[in-house]
Amino acid sequence: MNPLSLARWQFAITTIFHFFFVPLTLGLSIFVAILETKYVRTGDEMYKKMAKFWGKIFLINFAIGVVSGIVQEFQFGLNWSEYSRFMGDIFGAPLAIEALLAFYMESTFIGLWIFGWDKLSKKMHLATIWLVAIGSNISALWILIANSFMQHPEGYAIDPETGRALMSNFGALVFNPNVLLQFPHVLTAGISLAGFVVMAFSAWHLLRKHDVTFFRSSFRMAAIYALIGSVLVATIGHFQGQFLVKHQPLKMAAAEALWKTEQPAPFSIFAIIDEENRTNRVNIEIPSILSFLSYNNFTGKVEGINDLVVQAESKYGPGDYIPPVALNYWSFRTMVGAGALMIVIALLGVLWSKDQKLDDKTWFLKATMFSAILPYLAATTGWILAETGRWPWIVFGLQKVEAAVSPNVPAWNVAFSLVLMAVIYTVFTVVAYKLAVKYGTGDVAIKTEEY
Amino acid sequence: MDLNTLWFILVTVLFVGFFFLEGFDYGVGILLPFLGKNDNERRAVINTIGPHWDGNEVWMITAGGAMFASFPQVYATLFSGFYLALVLMLVALIMRGVAFEYRSLRDDPVWRNRWDWAIFIGSLLPALLWGVAVGNLMRGFAIDANMNYWGGLIPLLNPYSILGGLVFVTLFTTHGANFLALKLEGDLAQRAKKFGFQAWIAATVLTVLFVIWTFFETDILTKSGVNGLVPALLAAVALLAAGWYAKKDNDLLAFVMGSLTVVFATIMVFMGLFPRILISSMDAAYSLNIHNAAASPYTLKAMTIVAVIFVPIVLIYQIWTYKVFSKRIKADPKTLIY
């Protein structure tokens, strides 16, 4: 393999790993903060126990989110030095601001939260977890501002001397229309994911009749949380789809495996895709639905890959402009399918946890346990679509992936670091999972005393 | 003063903060397996930095991020050039960060011992590698006309830079021991001081050698205009004073002087570099400096506004954290937080 494909693999692996942990940090930090708020408001010790119990899961997850984030911060210099040179004037700013506004905040106040139960007043301690939650989510905002520039560049000019991108409008960079959709999407994805994780562990305990009051209450709150998150993430996702049709039509066409322009355009629910011959060997479609999803009417014209490639070639010159169609198609369907299931499960969870009905529905509790995998699938495939669907661009319309890689790093160096990172991430993910299971299935009385 | 100079100073400040704070963190990590004889003692050692290490580490990330924002060409050249060294450091930092959080999650001596060694390696390796990197920064390395370094790892492992690495390790170990002497109680604090004094002797000898060699190997101390001579002398005085106060059992001043050593040494490096940031050993014209490596004036201005507002806020809440946890820590299971 050449350094370029190795660097792409490395980015894919490290980023997917990183984002395996991030959404739980985003969602669970707020959830724990809500629990502790309830404790401070009502004085009910059960909420304190809940904050500590779910807080433990939060911390196990948080640690890996933090350390895998360090790799992200330096990876652009390691493997993508030409990208860093081309984009540094724009991309470095949100990264530095993320560190200054968010990383300091979450990292400092998490220490206070862990070690401060007996050193701070109740209200002060409560403030620390809120600051962790706010810090984590601000961090997501700034990295998504950076990513949004790559998806949909705004607020820049090209330096006529060097050919590099220069920041021309900070406000336009920050209020990029892409980030106004992407940030709420990621935030609500984190909320639904955290809700599902808490539901899963609570279901495990309810099936065994452990601390029933504690876990019934946890389950109920988590179900409501998950439902809010799931409904919002899907709703925002719908608008993102419409945004894509306008601004990154090739990504959307690839996600739909729509080769030819159609009016009205059908929505494919199952396709066997032949990328080489640019066709689908099997395609089961529902008429007009893609038009509706794209424009809110049943008659709109949706452009297909073949036409869009011709347009791209006339605009940017000859080249390969087709994203990996099958990958995008199935990523999109996995994300949407998982999202739809999540809404159903969360809704049933909310309805059935209202009174004691839940305890007898063992099949549902079991299903809930396993459904925690769904938001992880959705989050991962969502990012695969967002990043690979941008092919061949690293910065949409401005720089191609092949031009962005570090020219001076030999393939074996990238391969070495790729293997090293993959191994250490895998080991730590297994360890984190085992610890989360140990604490998530542990006895409440013991686990909350162990601080 | 132009914005480029201002940002050079700001990046210097971030590295000063990083080496000062992570310096004792790394030192504590290096001393951990040798100082703590049982689990309670080791937990006590870790808890001296427990609430702080994560916030301290952000100084490194912010220094990297700020360099990306203000001098993107430096970020691109340095990290693609020092590729393998940086990868090793990242892996070490991953191990270290996870180890702090996971070691106490299982009540199993084998498990805990393994994580303690992860903390040791995760602290030693970054300290060493940063020292080697700084040595190479002072000495210069083969940057070509396109700002790329093609040499790989081996040329970076030259004797001068390795000596720089050893200086960092011993200096940070001293710094960590001074910190532990302030934060621990009783016998454990006494042992920390003993280790600290031994590390101080090693650090002093190596530093003297390194400074002499720096005179011959680099222009850091001798170039006309701004150079590192004055901060180098101040660092030397502070280092001697640190040993003096340690011997006198004045823990606070020993720590203060050790800290000043790290601070002045960092300032020495950056003043010696100024206005260059990365020195090319191929041709002085290929060096990256505060102008040819910088972001646009617009970006620098935007970032200046952000930094002026937020750096003081960060300082206030981080200092407050140290106040909250200012009490000495006893290796007593009744009071230890796990």
Side-chain angles (χ1 to χ4, degrees):
Chain A
M1 265 201 265
N2 59 20
L4 176 63
S5 10
L6 286 165
R8 290 178 66 201
W9 272 109
Q10 178 155 351
F11 191 82
I13 288 171
T14 51
T15 307
I16 286 172
F17 260 115
H18 180 56
F19 208 73
F20 219 73
F21 297 92
V22 169
L24 189 57
T25 296
L26 300 182
L28 202 51
S29 60
I30 301 174
F31 191 74
V32 172
I34 292 171
L35 291 172
E36 199 175 333
T37 307
K38 287 197 163 204
Y39 162 62
V40 172
R41 278 215 179 147
T42 63
D44 187 342
E45 286 289 323
M46 187 178 75
Y47 289 120
K48 184 182 182 184
K49 281 188 175 176
M50 278 187 185
K52 283 196 167 189
F53 186 86
W54 300 113
K56 201 78 184 177
I57 307 289
F58 170 73
L59 290 175
I60 290 167
N61 173 75
F62 184 78
I64 306 219
V66 167
V67 294
S68 58
I70 306 176
V71 176
Q72 298 302 92
E73 183 88 12
F74 291 100
Q75 185 160 203
F76 301 101
L78 286 168
N79 286 332
W80 306 100
S81 69
E82 285 303 312
Y83 166 81
S84 304
R85 293 186 199 286
F86 175 77
M87 275 282 287
D89 200 51
I90 293 158
F91 198 79
L95 245 58
I97 296 174
E98 182 188 14
L100 204 52
L101 264 67
F103 289 162
Y104 274 124
M105 200 160 140
E106 56 174 350
S107 301
T108 307
F109 289 102
I110 195 71
L112 281 157
W113 190 72
I114 298 171
F115 288 87
W117 284 98
D118 301 322
K119 300 222 186 246
L120 298 170
S121 71
K122 270 189 189 178
K123 282 191 176 164
M124 265 304 199
H125 193 265
L126 174 63
T128 62
I129 188 67
W130 274 111
L131 288 166
V132 172
I134 293 167
S136 303
N137 284 285
I138 290 180
S139 142
L141 172 65
W142 283 95
I143 199 61
L144 292 173
I145 286 171
N147 182 260
S148 285
F149 188 87
M150 300 165 78
Q151 307 286 359
H152 180 71
E154 296 240 344
Y156 72 98
I158 296 294
D159 186 338
E161 264 174 62
T162 59
R164 289 175 185 152
L166 296 176
M167 195 194 297
S168 67
N169 187 337
F170 186 72
L173 176 76
V174 173
F175 296 104
N176 188 321
N178 191 72
V179 83
L180 300 180
L181 292 167
Q182 202 182 14
F183 174 64
H185 189 66
V186 168
L187 173 69
T188 48
I191 286 173
S192 66
L193 186 141
F196 270 88
V197 168
V198 173
M199 274 162 74
F201 282 123
S202 301
W204 188 92
H205 287 281
L206 289 176
L207 281 166
R208 285 159 185 79
K209 313 275 180 227
H210 294 161
D211 291 290
V212 183
T213 329
F214 182 97
F215 287 108
R216 240 185 234 149
S217 176
S218 293
F219 188 99
R220 171 122 187 104
M221 273 189 276
I224 295 170
Y225 199 59
L227 182 63
I228 294 170
S230 309
V231 169
L232 287 177
V233 78
T235 313
I236 299 156
H238 168 66
F239 292 111
Q240 281 176 298
Q242 298 194 332
F243 186 83
L244 280 185
V245 172
K246 242 191 236 161
H247 299 286
Q248 284 189 46
L250 258 164
K251 184 190 280 182
M252 207 58 219
E256 292 298 335
L258 185 73
W259 297 99
K260 288 182 198 139
T261 302
E262 299 205 35
Q263 184 179 21
F267 181 80
S268 163
I269 48 173
F270 181 87
I272 296 175
I273 297 158
D274 182 352
E275 293 191 46
E276 225 165 277
N277 298 313
R278 294 195 184 184
T279 180
N280 301 327
R281 268 184 267 159
V282 177
N283 198 0
I284 303 169
E285 299 173 320
I286 315 175
S288 299
I289 293 295
L290 183 56
S291 293
F292 179 75
L293 290 175
S294 309
Y295 307 111
N296 298 334
N297 69 55
F298 288 100
T299 53
K301 178 169 87 171
V302 181
E303 288 183 295
I305 296 167
N306 293 338
D307 286 333
L308 289 167
V309 163
V310 174
Q311 290 171 26
E313 281 186 335
S314 73
K315 192 167 176 189
Y316 305 112
D320 166 24
Y321 292 96
I322 306 182
V325 177
L327 180 66
N328 282 300
Y329 178 89
W330 287 112
S331 292
F332 188 55
R333 263 137 203 85
T334 309
M335 176 180 75
V336 172
L341 268 176
M342 281 157 60
I343 293 176
V344 173
I345 293 167
L347 183 64
L348 291 176
V350 171
L351 291 177
W352 287 341
S353 60
K354 205 170 168 190
D355 30 56
Q356 254 109 95
K357 270 186 236 160
L358 196 61
D359 299 21
D360 310 322
K361 294 200 168 42
T362 45
W363 66 271
F364 179 69
L365 289 173
K366 278 182 191 158
T368 314
M369 269 174 62
F370 291 105
S371 66
I373 193 75
L374 293 173
Y376 282 98
L377 271 178
T380 305
T381 48
W383 271 115
I384 291 175
L385 172 66
E387 292 298 290
T388 65
R390 199 173 58 230
W391 180 261
W393 304 105
I394 191 164
V395 187
F396 190 81
L398 297 180
Q399 190 182 38
K400 289 188 178 170
V401 175
E402 63 198 24
V405 75
S406 302
N408 53 330
V409 179
W412 76 268
N413 282 15
V414 190
F416 170 77
S417 76
L418 173 62
V419 171
L420 200 60
M421 300 263 177
V423 168
I424 196 165
Y425 277 173
T426 308
V427 170
F428 281 180
T429 303
V430 172
V431 172
Y433 176 78
K434 284 190 167 172
L435 284 172
V437 168
K438 178 187 170 207
Y439 280 84
T441 60
D443 187 331
V444 172
I446 297 169
K447 291 309 165 203
T448 49
E449 280 313 303
E450 270 189 12
Y451 270 84
Chain B
M1 185 171 33
D2 64 347
L3 285 174
N4 301 52
T5 308
L6 177 71
W7 269 93
F8 184 87
I9 294 170
L10 262 172
V11 169
T12 308
V13 168
L14 289 169
F15 271 97
V16 167
F18 163 41
F19 287 141
F20 162 54
L21 294 166
E22 280 285 89
F24 64 72
D25 275 9
Y26 291 157
V28 169
I30 290 168
L31 289 167
L32 171 70
F34 310 105
L35 199 55
K37 286 185 181 155
N38 55 46
D39 190 53
N40 287 331
E41 288 191 356
R42 287 193 177 180
R43 191 66 229 179
V45 170
I46 292 174
N47 279 12
T48 61
I49 55 169
H52 311 297
W53 74 266
D54 198 356
N56 291 350
E57 193 167 86
V58 177
W59 283 84
M60 184 187 93
I61 298 168
T62 308
M67 211 151 74
F68 197 175
S70 55
F71 302 108
Q73 305 307 323
V74 173
Y75 174 90
T77 302
L78 186 62
F79 295 146
S80 66
F82 290 11
Y83 192 94
L84 289 176
L86 181 58
V87 166
L88 288 178
M89 188 188 309
L90 292 175
V91 169
L93 291 175
I94 290 174
M95 280 181 4
R96 177 174 176 270
V98 175
F100 281 130
E101 302 303 329
Y102 283 9
R103 94 173 274 287
S104 294
L105 294 183
R106 278 181 58 184
D107 196 4
D108 168 1
V110 178
W111 165 274
R112 289 188 175 178
N113 192 46
R114 207 178 282 159
W115 286 118
D116 288 343
W117 284 102
I119 291 174
F120 170 75
I121 296 169
S123 304
L124 178 73
L125 206 56
L128 181 73
L129 289 170
W130 270 111
V132 173
V134 168
N136 280 298
L137 291 185
M138 291 161 73
R139 189 173 171 266
F141 53 104
I143 301 169
D144 71 8
N146 297 318
M147 297 185 173
N148 280 319
Y149 166 73
W150 296 80
L153 184 64
I154 304 300
L156 301 175
L157 301 177
N158 53 77
Y160 173 77
S161 301
I162 287 175
L163 181 61
L166 295 177
V167 167
F168 265 55
V169 170
T170 50
L171 212 50
F172 287 167
T173 308
T174 313
H175 193 32
N178 288 342
F179 181 76
L180 287 171
L182 267 186
K183 295 289 293 184
L184 291 170
E185 274 195 354
D187 181 41
L188 199 52
Q190 289 307 316
R191 267 184 278 146
K193 279 160 92 167
K194 222 181 242 170
F195 272 114
F197 198 70
Q198 287 164 355
W200 177 81
I201 293 173
T204 308
V205 172
L206 292 173
T207 303
V208 168
L209 284 175
F210 187 69
V211 171
I212 294 170
W213 201 343
T214 300
F215 260 106
F216 297 104
E217 184 84 6
T218 77
D219 64 359
I220 294 291
L221 302 171
T222 49
K223 77 184 172 69
S224 58
V226 180
N227 66 37
L229 190 61
V230 174
L233 292 172
L234 290 171
V237 171
L239 181 59
L240 292 175
W244 168 265
Y245 284 117
K247 208 68 207 154
K248 292 252 159 197
D249 281 328
N250 191 332
D251 301 341
L252 182 65
L253 279 177
F255 176 71
V256 169
M257 289 301 160
S259 306
L260 287 176
T261 311
V262 175
V263 169
F264 285 126
T266 312
I267 294 173
M268 170 201 85
V269 174
F270 281 90
M271 280 179 74
L273 290 174
F274 185 82
R276 305 159 303 179
I277 305 172
L278 301 179
I279 301 170
S280 170
S281 58
M282 290 169 95
D283 187 332
Y286 298 162
S287 294
L288 279 70
N289 61 45
I290 61 166
H291 297 290
N292 69 2
S296 68
Y298 182 88
T299 296
L300 289 179
K301 209 166 126 192
M303 288 306 298
T304 304
I305 294 167
V306 174
V308 164
I309 297 171
F310 286 98
V311 172
I313 295 176
V314 168
L315 283 174
I316 289 168
Y317 65 64
Q318 283 210 330
I319 291 169
W320 178 67
T321 317
Y322 282 91
K323 276 199 134 168
V324 171
F325 300 104
S326 62
K327 262 176 85 178
R328 283 181 188 261
I329 293 163
K330 241 196 270 185
D332 175 357
K334 269 178 247 150
T335 53
L336 274 180
I337 296 170
Y338 269 79

